[in-house]
């Protein structure tokens, strides 16, 4: 059996770390130089990072023409026009959903999508193996198939009362859909319609900020310091998108 080694006396670990940190500070401070900015810096809106707004006039990027007609009909019934606002279809909810499905949301790019896929509790969140693009493609086709069997017409061709009955059946899980659960499909479309109606118009929905005007939401304003102390007052702000006002979009 070997003899125990005697600890080597000298520089301790604490001393090494302390001296190393001091050397870094001295080196950094020796190279640092201060810059003084006088006056107001020159700045133009979006010079560095322009807002990439959705162009509603472009063709559908994910939906086929038939799928788009079905989604527009659904958003029309979920958010009908009334004295408070225009309908979900008029507000561009279908455009919002189409652009979201064409992007990373549609492919679940930012979610963990490896198995096993089993039915979980509501607290465990989504457990489906289908990405949103697949759910819409399968669900819309299955919905039109059901409507053809039951009503001899596609969903978009049905009268409003019949569309409401079908949507209520989907919400209750009473409409059999091939390849996807009715409640799951309805929940997804309903959630995305609400998002499109209330999201910033830069994403394609909420045309003319109609929902923000309805609820009095001021939008993406830069500074509220002048209004912090104005409690219980109606300010009547003009809503502002993250894309800015039209006058801001001219660069140069």
């Amino acid at each position: 059996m070997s003899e125990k080694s005697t600890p080597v006396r000298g520089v301790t670990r604490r001393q090494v770390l302390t001296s190393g940190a001091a050397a870094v500070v001295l080196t950094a401070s020796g190279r640092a130089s201060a810059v003084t900015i006088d006056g107001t810096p020159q700045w133009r809106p979006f010079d560095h990072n322009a807002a990439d707004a959705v162009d509603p006039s472009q063709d559908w990027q994910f939906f086929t023409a038939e799928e788009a007609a079905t989604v527009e009909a659904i958003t029309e019934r979920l958010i009908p026009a009334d004295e408070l606002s225009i309908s979900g279809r008029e507000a561009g909810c279908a455009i919002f959903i189409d652009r979201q499905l064409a992007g990373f949301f549609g492919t679940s790019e930012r979610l963990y999508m490896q198995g096993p896929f089993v039915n979980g509790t509501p607290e465990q969140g989504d457990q489906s193996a289908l990405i949103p693009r697949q759910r819409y493609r399968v669900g819309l086709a299955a919905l039109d198939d059901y409507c053809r069997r039951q009503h001899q017409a596609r969903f978009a061709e049905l009268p409003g009362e019949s569309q409401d009955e079908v949507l209520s059946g989907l919400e209750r899980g009473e409409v059999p859909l091939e390849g996807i659960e009715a409640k799951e499909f309805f929940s997804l479309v309903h959630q995305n319609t609400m998002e499109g109606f209330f999201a910033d118009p830069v994403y394609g929905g909420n045309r003319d900020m109609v929902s923000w005007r309805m609820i009095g939401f001021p939008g993406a304003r830069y500074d509220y310091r002048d209004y912090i102390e104005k409690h219980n007052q109606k300010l009547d702000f003009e809503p502002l998108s993250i894309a800015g006002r039209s006058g801001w979009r001219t660069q140069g």
Side-chain angles (χ1 to χ4, degrees), residues 11-223:
V11 180
T12 65
R13 181 172 179 270
R14 180 184 295 274
Q15 290 172 325
V16 171
L17 294 176
T18 304
S19 61
V24 171
V25 171
L26 290 173
T27 303
S29 61
R31 289 199 301 255
S33 58
V35 176
T36 302
I37 299 177
D38 295 324
T40 303
Q42 294 298 316
W43 176 83
R44 293 188 181 91
F46 308 121
D47 269 359
H48 178 66
N49 186 19
D52 187 15
V54 166
D55 183 358
S57 66
Q58 292 181 345
D59 292 336
W60 301 103
Q61 296 185 11
F62 173 76
F63 291 136
T64 65
E66 284 193 357
E67 290 172 339
T70 301
V71 175
E72 286 189 318
I74 292 175
T75 61
E76 180 86 18
R77 303 312 299 176
L78 291 179
I79 307 178
D82 58 16
E83 67 278 4
L84 297 177
S85 77
I86 58 179
S87 70
R89 180 187 62 79
E90 295 170 315
C93 291
I95 297 173
F96 169 85
I97 297 173
D98 175 74
R99 301 310 195 265
Q100 293 298 306
L101 292 174
F104 63 81
F105 168 77
T107 60
S108 294
E109 178 182 326
R110 300 184 180 181
L111 298 179
Y112 179 83
M113 291 298 294
Q114 301 301 315
F117 299 100
V118 296
N119 292 328
T121 66
E123 292 77 15
Q124 291 176 309
D126 185 15
Q127 300 292 314
S128 174
L130 297 179
I131 61 176
R133 287 184 183 180
Q134 295 170 322
R135 297 183 203 187
Y136 269 91
R137 191 125 284 164
V138 172
L140 292 174
L143 176 60
D144 274 347
D145 286 344
Y146 170 82
C147 291
R148 288 190 184 97
R149 292 195 307 270
Q150 297 296 320
H151 303 282
Q152 293 73 53
R154 295 173 49 245
F155 179 86
E157 299 168 344
L158 298 178
E161 295 78 6
S162 298
Q163 290 177 342
D164 290 343
E165 292 177 6
V166 173
L167 291 176
S168 296
L170 287 175
E171 185 178 18
R172 295 190 298 267
E174 298 173 354
V175 173
L177 297 182
E178 183 69 28
I180 191 171
E181 292 291 332
K183 280 187 175 182
E184 174 190 327
F185 178 63
F186 176 85
S187 177
L188 178 64
V189 180
H190 179 264
Q191 175 67 28
N192 293 160
T193 300
M194 296 299 105
E195 292 168 347
F197 193 67
F198 288 103
D200 193 287
V202 74
Y203 300 111
N206 191 13
R207 182 167 64 84
D208 296 330
M209 294 173 279
V210 59
S211 67
W212 292 1
R213 299 177 193 279
M214 179 179 66
I215 64 177
F217 179 62
R221 289 182 169 269
Y222 173 75
D223 192 352

